[in-house]
């Protein structure tokens, strides 16, 4: 084997999204290398005991997203009734002019103000819930490399067929090295 082929990567996978964005996994004849601008890790293929790649949706994010959308609908449903009740009560208290009535007038005015803000809060909940639900449904593809006594997980957003192909090539290289 000459010096040029010893340093040439057989294949590589570039992380374009997620926490590992800007880094890459490279498969060499005898090792797997994870390289980023601030990190370099070399894993000899002889030390790799197993390799797993999987696509999973995130049910927790999906559940929180649905819960926030339901909360937004509830906020929209109660905003108008609370506002009208508070407005009517504030009008009654304002007409009497007594000391306690004036305090209640201020309280009901505040409740009316909060009820006017509920549609904006509902919109924020709906947008946040929709974003969480989309991220949960989109899921992630994770490549897990099991070494003796430890494991490394490399994850990208969504269903990434390129990572699946990369894992298949690494798996083929692992099987060829054990023969």
């Amino acid at each position: 084997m000459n010096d040029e082929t010893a340093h040439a990567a057989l294949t590589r996978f570039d992380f374009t999204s997620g926490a590992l964005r800007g880094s890459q996994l490279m498969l060499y004849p005898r090792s797997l290398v994870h390289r980023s601008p601030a990190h370099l890790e070399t894993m000899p293929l002889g030390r790799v005991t197993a390799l797993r790649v999987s696509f999973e949706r995130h049910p927790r994010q999906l559940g929180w997203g649905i819960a926030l959308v339901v909360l937004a609908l509830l906020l929209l449903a109660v905003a108008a009734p609370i506002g009208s009740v508070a407005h009517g009560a504030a009008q009654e208290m304002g007409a009497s002019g007594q000391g306690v009535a004036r305090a209640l007038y201020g309280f009901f005015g505040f409740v009316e103000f909060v009820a006017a803000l509920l549609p904006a809060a509902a919109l924020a909940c709906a947008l946040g819930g929709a974003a969480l639900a989309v991220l949960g449904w989109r899921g992630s593809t994770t490549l897990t490399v099991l070494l003796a006594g430890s494991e490394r997980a490399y994850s990208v957003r969504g269903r990434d067929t390129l990572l699946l192909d990369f894992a298949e090539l690494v798996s083929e290289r692992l099987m060829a090295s054990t023969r």
Side-chain angles (χ1 to χ4, degrees):
M1 179 183 291
N2 65 18
D3 205 27
E4 183 179 311
T5 58
H7 297 289
L10 300 174
T11 186
R12 88 187 238 177
F13 177 79
D14 294 318
F15 292 95
T16 57
S17 66
L20 297 173
R21 182 178 61 219
S23 68
Q24 62 246 349
L25 279 172
M26 294 176 286
L27 175 64
Y28 289 96
R30 294 188 183 139
S31 63
L32 182 63
V33 176
H34 178 233
R35 179 185 302 261
S36 73
H39 176 80
L40 175 69
E41 181 177 23
T42 302
M43 296 165 276
L45 290 179
R47 303 269 185 207
V48 175
T49 58
L51 188 74
R52 177 178 58 232
V53 65
S54 63
F55 169 74
E56 295 176 352
R57 299 196 192 285
H58 302 295
R60 177 173 279 168
Q61 282 183 329
L62 190 58
W64 276 107
I66 291 169
L68 283 175
V69 169
V70 169
L71 177 65
L73 292 173
L74 286 173
L75 288 176
L76 279 176
V78 300
I82 288 176
S84 65
V85 167
H87 180 73
Q91 294 302 322
E92 280 183 33
M93 293 300 134
S96 68
Q98 306 263 341
V100 174
R102 285 185 120 7
L104 284 175
Y105 176 76
F107 171 73
F108 286 126
F110 176 73
V111 170
E112 185 179 4
F113 174 73
V114 169
L117 291 179
L118 285 179
L123 177 64
C125 282
L127 292 176
L132 273 176
V134 165
L135 287 174
W137 182 257
R138 193 169 174 210
S140 64
T141 305
T142 304
L143 170 68
T144 305
V145 179
L146 294 148
L147 302 162
S150 67
E151 72 177 35
R152 305 289 188 270
Y154 304 98
S155 185
V156 293
R157 286 186 221 133
R159 185 183 302 264
D160 195 327
T161 56
L162 294 175
L163 186 58
L164 293 170
D165 294 341
F166 179 82
E168 188 174 330
L169 290 172
V170 173
S171 175
E172 288 173 5
R173 188 71 191 165
L174 280 172
M175 291 176 10
S177 68
T178 59
R179 291 180 190 157

